[in-house]
């Protein structure tokens, strides 16, 4: 394997002898980037475009301590494993930093070469597993067509918000359905239908920009929006904005032709309508059904 293909290992220590030892120890498994100056290391980490699996830092480095350094690193490279390698550190400091997830591991100086190698290998494996877990978690809540969150996430987020809901902190639910979507699908084919769903998802999100909410694909051509802090009036206003934006701007299909797509929307609000999740969905669904029955392209509560 070429050095450039090896995973990156950033090492920061104010003693260049320590950096030399680490470089000798890991040069076959990693592309070692040594820094005696934490500021330069931080600049490198911030500018680096790809992932840095592991960052090892000394604790005492002149005026800067390794925990503060790694705390800043955490923001710049959240998926990197952050390790302190030090001979002198206060236990309380260390314990707090692990609890706050500023660092993942602490290894003692002086170290045994073979042991440190095994420990770093372990860290690399742990990180891989953690990233894989994250990927699965992401997949399990993502709708593959629209890349919105899916039905499962919708149910979870509605439960969470309802648990925090009260008179002064209402939660509203929008159920949005695309009018005559089946017809569009039949005319243009399923790939074009999927593309349209993606564009619809984007437009719904645009209409709710800077509004705290979760937009999920509920199923088929139906979308569920959970709006914490929104009372009925506010939810109706937001729904109406979205509806109007669909009516006003047609979608451009793959064939370059414009299609005006409209949506119907049902609105329900907790606690005024109900505090029960299933009941709230049911009420929003009924309102949506009413909007359809009254001729579509409208919002009903
Ligand atoms: Mg030092």
């Amino acid at each position: 394997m070429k050095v450039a293909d090896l995973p990156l290992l950033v090492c920061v220590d104010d003693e260049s002898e320590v950096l030399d030892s680490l470089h000798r120890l890991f040069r076959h498994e990693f592309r070692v980037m040594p820094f005696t100056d934490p500021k330069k290391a931080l600049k490198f980490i911030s500018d680096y475009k790809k992932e840095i699996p592991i960052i090892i830092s000394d604790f005492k480095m002149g005026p800067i301590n390794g925990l503060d350094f790694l705390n800043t690193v955490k923001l710049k490279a959240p998926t990197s494993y952050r390790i302190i390698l030090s001979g002198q550190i206060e236990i309380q400091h260390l314990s707090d930093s692990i609890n706050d997830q500023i660092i993942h591991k602490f290894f003692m100086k002086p170290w045994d070469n073979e042991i440190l190698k095994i420990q770093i290998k372990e860290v690399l494996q742990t990180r891989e597993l953690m990233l894989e877990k994250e990927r699965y978690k992401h997949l399990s809540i993502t709708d593959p067509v629209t890349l919105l969150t899916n039905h499962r996430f919708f149910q979870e987020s509605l439960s969470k918000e309802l648990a925090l809901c009260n008179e002064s902190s209402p939660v509203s639910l929008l159920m949005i359905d695309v009018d005559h979507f089946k017809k569009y699908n039949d005319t243009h084919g399923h790939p074009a239908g999927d593309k349209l769903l993606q564009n619809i998802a984007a437009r719904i999100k645009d209409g709710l920009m800077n509004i705290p909410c979760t937009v999920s694909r509920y199923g088929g051509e139906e979308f569920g929006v959970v709006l914490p802090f929104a009372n009925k009036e506010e939810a109706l206003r937001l729904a109406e904005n979205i509806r109007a934006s669909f009516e006003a701007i047609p979608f451009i299909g793959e064939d370059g032709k414009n299609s005006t797509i409209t949506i119907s929307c049902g609105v329900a609000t907790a606690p005024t309508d109900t505090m029960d999740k299933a009941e709230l969905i049911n009420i929003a669904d009924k309102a949506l059904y009413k909007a359809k029955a009254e001729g579509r392209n409208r919002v009903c509560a």
Side-chain angles (χ1 to χ4, degrees):
M1 202 188 260
K2 279 185 284 177
V3 178
D5 298 331
L6 294 173
L8 198 61
L9 176 66
V10 170
C11 300
V12 191
D13 201 300
D14 56 350
E15 291 173 52
S16 54
E17 298 79 18
V18 170
L19 294 174
D20 290 343
S21 305
L22 289 171
H23 184 257
R24 271 198 304 279
L25 188 59
F26 290 113
R27 67 190 161 161
H28 296 300
E29 289 95 358
F30 290 94
R31 184 154 73 90
V32 181
M33 287 294 295
F35 293 93
T36 46
D37 182 353
K39 285 198 192 101
K40 284 191 180 145
L42 200 59
K43 169 101 175 63
F44 172 83
I45 292 164
S46 309
D47 293 347
Y48 195 70
K49 296 283 182 284
K50 286 185 244 162
E51 296 224 329
I52 304 173
I54 301 176
I55 299 168
I56 297 178
S57 170
D58 184 19
F59 177 60
K60 275 205 162 153
M61 300 180 287
I64 298 176
N65 91 48
L67 296 177
D68 291 340
F69 165 68
L70 289 178
N71 200 14
T72 316
V73 164
K74 187 182 172 182
L75 299 172
K76 308 277 182 194
T79 65
S80 299
Y81 248 64
R82 298 174 296 276
I83 296 169
I84 287 279
L85 180 65
S86 172
Q88 41 182 342
I89 187 167
E90 274 178 52
I91 292 298
Q92 191 55 47
H93 257 133
L94 191 60
S95 159
D96 290 349
S97 302
I98 289 184
N99 285 340
D100 296 342
Q101 295 181 342
I102 294 167
I103 65 167
H104 297 92
K105 289 273 182 191
F106 166 72
F107 297 135
M108 276 294 266
K109 268 184 195 169
W111 66 82
D112 177 295
N113 276 347
E114 290 313 308
I115 301 257
L116 187 62
K117 265 191 153 174
I118 293 168
Q119 284 169 324
I120 293 295
K121 202 176 197 176
E122 250 176 22
V123 164
L124 206 56
Q125 283 174 353
T126 307
R127 180 178 174 271
E128 281 303 318
L129 284 175
M130 196 190 72
L131 289 178
E132 199 169 328
K133 206 172 127 195
E134 288 292 316
R135 277 194 288 272
Y136 279 118
K137 191 178 156 203
H138 180 74
L139 280 178
S140 76
I141 59 164
T142 304
D143 167 55
V145 174
T146 59
L147 302 182
L148 292 177
T149 46
N150 61 13
H151 186 100
R152 177 192 303 197
F153 186 85
F154 167 83
Q155 293 284 351
E156 278 173 15
S157 80
L158 189 54
S159 298
K160 260 187 219 157
E161 295 302 343
L162 284 175
L164 303 170
C165 167
N166 57 47
E167 288 291 342
S168 57
S169 182
V171 173
S172 285
L173 170 62
L174 312 183
M175 293 299 269
I176 298 173
D177 192 272
V178 185
D179 296 331
H180 302 298
F181 181 72
K182 195 182 173 302
K183 204 171 111 193
Y184 186 93
N185 242 347
D186 291 345
T187 315
H188 299 85
H190 284 284
D194 283 354
K195 186 93 193 109
L196 181 67
L197 285 174
Q198 289 164 10
N199 290 332
I200 286 168
R203 190 167 293 184
I204 293 173
K205 282 181 104 173
D206 280 352
L208 293 162
M209 212 186 282
N210 303 324
I211 307 283
C213 67
T214 57
V215 182
S216 305
R217 185 174 180 200
Y218 188 79
E221 67 272 26
E222 202 167 337
F223 299 87
V225 181
V226 179
L227 289 159
F229 318 115
N231 59 24
K232 172 92 27 110
E233 201 186 359
E234 175 75 356
L236 281 169
R237 189 183 65 76
L238 290 167
E240 178 53 28
N241 281 349
I242 296 170
R243 187 209 60 77
S245 79
F246 275 81
E247 191 181 46
I249 310 162
F251 287 88
I252 302 163
E254 300 280 274
D255 52 4
K257 284 185 189 149
N258 286 350
S259 309
T260 297
I261 303 292
T262 61
I263 54 144
S264 300
C265 180
V267 180
T269 303
T272 36
D273 292 326
T274 177
M275 274 299 276
D276 181 73
K277 186 175 81 165
E279 185 63 18
L280 192 71
I281 295 173
N282 196 19
I283 291 170
D285 248 345
K286 278 193 178 138
L288 172 61
Y289 185 77
K290 189 170 164 232
K292 293 273 181 194
E294 287 180 4
R296 297 182 170 87
N297 188 21
R298 67 197 65 215
V299 176
C300 283

